[in-house]
Amino acid sequence: MPRFAYVNGQYRRHNEAAVHIEDRGYQFADGIYEVVTVMNNKLIDEEGHLDRLERSLKELQIAMPMSRQVFKMVSRELARRNGLDNGLIYMQVTRGVAPRNHAFPAANVPPAVVMTTKRMNFNKMKKFTEGVSVITIPDQRWERRDIKTVALLPNCLGKQKATEAGSYEAWQVDGDGYITEGTSSNAWILSKDKKLITRPLSNDILHGITRRTVLQLAAEEGIEVEERAFTVDEAYDALEAYATSATSFVTPIVRIDDKVLGNGKPGHFGQKLLAAYTDYAEGAGAS
Ligand SMILES: Cc1ncc(COP(=O)(O)O)c(C=O)c1O
């Protein structure tokens, strides 16, 4: 259990930290969040995560509660207080506290900010060496999946289905049979002709920060990339597949529903991308 959480300007003991019962995040899921990974005491892709945090707030017309500089300072101070060398920093901003009413409160109601940390040991994760399986499920979310809101109920229901099936992730499928993304990660396949395929940016998916980095790294590795939607059948027929997110890095997928990919082991391209990502996370992407 971490020792401290940051709540509205104060570092509180984690087991005593609390928000008001009329916080709009609690009543309406009226808020946004970010997850930044910490590796060897450095934050990965911090600027990208703060860019997206600002964008999500703007899309929901919530004011930036404090400057980027203060976000950076508080993240580091919380990580320091919690002795977090490897793990994640969770940041959440809601529209604040007001008597329950669907319409926004008065402009002078300040947004509420919470930050917590979670320790993780990235070195010992079997998912990177053995790979994982995913299931496919219908995408039941709203039409602004590009905003990283705390309204994650369909994602939770999907992840629970995956967990019950013994799988790592559920890939969500739109009405036309195309995969959008996982419940907490972006979805990728490597086709038999060795093209790396992932859905293009739109309101249909979260604009993953890891996705963006992996696209750059793939280009540097000379891997041909196609940003386009792909179907479930194409995924079944793929050579390799991956899930990317701040804490998944590039996780190899070795089975989709009951279709085993390749020889059922993480493939060459995925291992190459994972190694490139880890190097990046320890070098150019670290701050
Ligand atoms: C639905 C969804 N897609 C994709 C991602 C991956 O985003 P990132 O790489 O920025 O962690 C996440 C991360 O939480 C997510 O929740």
Side-chain angles (χ1 to χ4, degrees):
M1 188 68 89
R3 283 168 289 186
F4 294 100
Y6 175 87
V7 186
N8 294 323
Q10 291 183 308
Y11 298 94
R12 310 293 300 265
R13 295 219 148 270
H14 188 273
N15 57 357
E16 290 164 8
V19 293
H20 196 280
I21 55 167
E22 294 212 280
D23 187 291
R24 288 179 62 97
Y26 179 58
Q27 290 184 330
F28 296 116
D30 188 358
I32 63 96
Y33 73 105
E34 274 300 325
V35 174
V36 184
T37 293
V38 174
M39 222 169 102
N40 306 326
N41 295 303
K42 300 271 190 188
L43 281 69
I44 306 175
D45 273 337
E46 184 184 29
E47 296 295 342
H49 285 283
L50 289 176
D51 286 347
R52 188 173 60 189
L53 178 138
E54 281 201 50
R55 177 181 185 271
S56 295
L57 288 172
K58 191 156 167 270
E59 290 300 311
L60 298 187
Q61 301 165 57
I62 298 175
M64 185 76 167
M66 51 203 199
S67 70
R68 281 172 86 103
Q69 210 44 44
V70 175
F71 266 105
K72 290 180 183 178
M73 229 179 60
V74 173
S75 325
R76 281 171 179 75
E77 177 59 14
L78 187 64
R80 189 191 67 75
R81 287 184 187 225
N82 287 339
L84 184 83
D85 41 12
N86 286 283
L88 64 84
I89 300 171
Y90 176 84
M91 319 173 173
Q92 176 174 307
V93 182
T94 71
R95 203 181 303 276
V97 176
R100 187 175 183 281
N101 179 18
H102 289 60
F104 297 173
N108 62 356
V109 171
V113 185
V114 168
M115 287 196 212
T116 56
T117 66
K118 184 176 164 188
R119 204 178 288 279
M120 295 171 87
N121 189 343
F122 300 111
N123 291 328
K124 289 205 178 135
M125 290 189 168
K126 283 208 285 195
K127 66 184 181 188
F128 296 132
T129 49
E130 295 179 7
V132 299
S133 64
V134 301
I135 58 169
T136 56
I137 58 167
D139 198 328
Q140 296 181 320
R141 299 172 299 160
W142 74 329
E143 290 176 359
R144 289 304 308 275
R145 302 158 191 161
D146 57 310
I147 308 172
K148 197 164 170 68
T149 78
V150 294
L152 290 172
L153 188 53
N155 308 55
C156 293
L157 295 174
K159 187 75 93 182
Q160 178 59 19
K161 263 200 182 139
T163 304
E164 286 168 12
S167 287
Y168 177 73
E169 181 57 297
W171 275 6
Q172 303 169 100
V173 182
D174 69 17
D176 298 320
Y178 291 90
I179 288 161
T180 51
E181 60 183 334
T183 62
S184 62
S185 57
N186 288 111
W188 305 68
I189 57 170
L190 184 82
S191 63
K192 291 239 161 78
D193 56 355
K194 307 209 170 78
K195 286 186 183 136
L196 185 61
I197 304 169
T198 196
R199 193 166 173 122
L201 296 183
S202 72
N203 293 354
D204 295 339
I205 60 168
L206 188 75
H207 300 186
I209 303 305
T210 320
R211 174 190 178 283
R212 190 176 70 181
T213 296
V214 170
L215 282 174
Q216 265 174 30
L217 296 173
E220 285 166 25
E221 294 287 328
I223 301 172
E224 198 177 330
V225 175
E226 273 183 21
E227 286 186 73
R228 66 164 175 86
F230 58 89
T231 63
V232 175
D233 281 337
E234 270 186 278
Y236 288 162
D237 197 38
L239 199 58
E240 300 182 12
Y242 328 106
T244 61
S245 77
T247 55
S248 298
F249 300 176
V250 186
T251 293
I253 292 165
V254 294
R255 183 161 55 83
I256 303 172
D257 293 327
D258 57 0
K259 296 282 187 296
V260 174
L261 305 189
N263 61 3
K265 299 213 167 75
H268 168 70
F269 283 79
Q271 293 306 94
K272 207 160 128 172
L273 285 171
L274 178 58
Y277 185 78
T278 311
D279 280 355
Y280 170 85
E282 288 171 344
S287 62

